[in-house]
Amino acid sequence: INDNTIQGEGNSAWAGIYTKDGYGEIDGNTLIDADAGILIDGVLYGYDASVTNNTISASAGRTAVGAVGIWAEDCGSSTLFTGGNDITVMANAIVADGCDITDTASDLKGTGGQGGTVWTVNMMATYFTPQNVTITEGDIVRWRLQEYASGTNYQHSTVHQPASGSPLWDSGLLNLGGSFTSQFNTAGTYDYTCGQHSSMTGKITVEAAGSGSSTYYSTGFDVRGGNDDIELDGTSVSGFTTAYEQTGGSLHLTGSASLSADDYGADLDGVDTTSDGASLTTASATGVGMYFTGGASLDLKDLSTDSARGVHIDGETNGDFNWNGGTVSSGTALYAEDKAVGDVQNMTWNDADVQIHAGANTKITSVGNTLDPNKMSVSSTGEVYEANLLDLDVTHSGAAIDNVGLLIQSE
């Protein structure tokens, strides 16, 4: 599907391009006001798919709170290759939900302000899942038909069931893979059912913005699958509340990938994470370049930060963490807490306000760095060890020798 211009109608239930269980390429298209963007609903087993060099945006002056750039789900063992895409949206530029994605040099931009989160409810043969969802004012719920019912009335719908008055929404009957979305701007409880199967019921609880555990926010690259493997090679993400968010799976940052946001560059929970040339920047006074928790492995090479906290490691990792090389332009370079153990090496961090914060029960080894005692923050149960690389220039009988043995022995 190449080189098309697609004008949408500003409805987040409708994709500009929609493929189901196929393979091939989607390249060079321009989508305007197609608020469900490019939807990849499965990839044929044994094949791959690519989404490259597409431009996705809203028309000038339009606020599209629920607009998504690329949504990829249920790819199985196949990999979705994306690259060179220019996406400008308010909510999510790319969403991965059960898809491994390798992106090369896409430019993902937030429009500013804050958009609502998109929550997915799947319609199965006899039930909705999850049946009950708690969201925040401004968020969007997306119902997606995953399975037909048996018998003649095989299609499903979602219909609001108010205590009185007319329904606020009625999707009409959907076909397999079809979806319907509704935005919730008023706090309250909303019951609903399937128009053809009264035993299928669900509930949406909407909290006021700023209450509970959630508020309005936007995420540039949102990984929801729980076991997705993502590589960002030269990808640029900017203008969102959180540039990148993922739970489970793995992430590799390379090729000068740049994640810039208001609050979080990368928010990672249980994600095996590596880097080889990347930068993380946040604008808020409490911003975090990379927040890492959940006990996965962490191996960072040439990672630069400009944030109130550069890399925040919360808890133990799978093996010792390692951060080798990078430039820290502000804030606390390494913020470690709650039994985190690892090393930080060969940093350029003269402009850091704090080089290392070692919280409770942490053990940090600094290798090849010049530590400034005035830029250290060490708790009573935290430990920081300083080591430097050994440089020997040795000759024997007037000539250089190839092997040097060094014995350090206590008296």
Side-chain angles (χ1 to χ4, degrees):
I1 306 174
N2 295 341
D3 302 324
N4 300 285
T5 298
I6 299 172
Q7 179 71 49
E9 296 192 3
N11 187 327
S12 56
W14 298 339
I17 298 173
Y18 170 48
T19 67
K20 182 166 178 60
D21 300 331
Y23 67 97
E25 67 175 21
I26 299 172
D27 181 85
N29 301 283
T30 298
L31 281 67
I32 304 170
D33 293 338
D35 285 2
I38 297 174
L39 173 56
I40 308 297
D41 187 358
V43 177
L44 187 63
Y45 176 77
Y47 291 84
D48 294 319
S50 64
V51 180
T52 53
N53 305 313
N54 301 283
T55 300
I56 304 173
S57 64
S59 56
R62 178 172 173 262
T63 300
V65 175
V68 174
I70 298 170
W71 188 301
E73 57 193 9
D74 301 337
C75 296
S77 60
S78 299
T79 297
L80 177 66
F81 295 93
T82 62
N85 298 292
D86 188 340
I87 301 175
T88 304
V89 293
M90 193 170 182
N92 305 117
I94 296 180
V95 177
D97 189 356
C99 279
D100 297 341
I101 295 180
T102 296
D103 184 86
T104 303
S106 287
D107 188 7
L108 314 179
K109 299 182 290 290
T111 59
Q114 296 176 312
T117 300
V118 179
W119 304 82
T120 297
V121 175
N122 289 312
M123 299 170 161
M124 310 308 287
T126 59
Y127 59 93
F128 295 102
T129 183
Q131 185 178 28
N132 301 313
V133 179
T134 299
I135 65 174
T136 301
E137 287 177 324
D139 286 354
I140 294 167
V141 175
R142 170 179 175 260
W143 288 269
R144 176 185 177 227
L145 199 155
Q146 288 272 53
E147 296 177 348
Y148 282 134
S150 59
T152 303
N153 297 324
Y154 56 89
Q155 294 169 294
H156 293 306
S157 65
T158 169
V159 183
H160 179 222
Q161 297 289 290
S164 61
S166 302
L168 297 179
W169 75 85
D170 182 347
S171 68
L173 297 177
L174 299 175
N175 290 310
L176 191 65
S179 64
F180 173 80
T181 62
S182 181
Q183 185 174 15
F184 293 82
N185 295 314
T186 304
T189 300
Y190 300 83
D191 295 308
Y192 66 90
T193 187
C194 173
Q196 295 212 109
H197 309 98
S198 59
S199 62
M200 292 177 60
T201 61
K203 179 186 294 184
I204 308 296
T205 301
V206 182
E207 297 178 339
S211 68
S213 60
S214 58
T215 59
Y216 290 128
Y217 73 95
S218 59
T219 302
F221 200 126
D222 192 2
V223 184
R224 305 181 179 183
N227 196 35
D228 297 337
D229 298 325
I230 309 296
E231 178 175 337
L232 303 183
D233 183 355
T235 306
S236 174
V237 185
S238 62
F240 298 92
T241 314
T242 297
Y244 185 94
E245 185 172 355
Q246 181 174 358
T247 300
S250 69
L251 169 65
H252 180 57
L253 301 172
T254 189
S256 298
S258 173
L259 305 181
S260 176
D262 291 335
D263 294 341
Y264 291 92
D267 186 358
L268 308 174
D269 186 352
V271 181
D272 291 324
T273 303
T274 58
S275 72
D276 188 3
S279 63
L280 307 172
T281 303
T282 57
S284 75
T286 57
V288 180
M290 177 181 291
Y291 178 75
F292 185 90
T293 191
S297 61
L298 182 63
D299 187 3
L300 305 175
K301 179 181 177 182
D302 191 19
L303 179 75
S304 297
T305 67
D306 187 359
S307 295
R309 293 180 182 177
V311 174
H312 181 164
I313 303 172
D314 186 358
E316 296 177 280
T317 56
N318 183 10
D320 292 358
F321 70 81
N322 177 55
W323 182 8
N324 189 346
T327 299
V328 178
S329 301
S330 65
T332 299
L334 174 64
Y335 191 100
E337 60 179 335
D338 193 19
K339 302 179 182 179
V341 177
D343 57 78
V344 56
Q345 307 179 39
N346 306 312
M347 301 299 296
T348 301
W349 54 12
N350 292 336
D351 293 330
D353 300 314
V354 176
Q355 294 170 334
I356 297 173
H357 170 81
N361 302 306
T362 59
K363 293 183 178 181
I364 313 300
T365 301
S366 170
V367 181
N369 302 306
T370 300
L371 295 181
D372 183 344
N374 297 317
K375 294 185 176 183
M376 302 290 292
S377 171
V378 184
S379 74
S380 60
T381 57
E383 302 174 11
V384 176
Y385 300 90
E386 184 175 11
N388 288 292
L389 301 176
L390 187 63
D391 185 6
L392 294 177
D393 184 6
V394 179
T395 62
H396 178 67
S397 298
I401 61 175
D402 294 329
N403 299 296
V404 176
L406 176 65
L407 172 66
I408 300 177
Q409 180 174 326
S410 63
E411 295 182 350

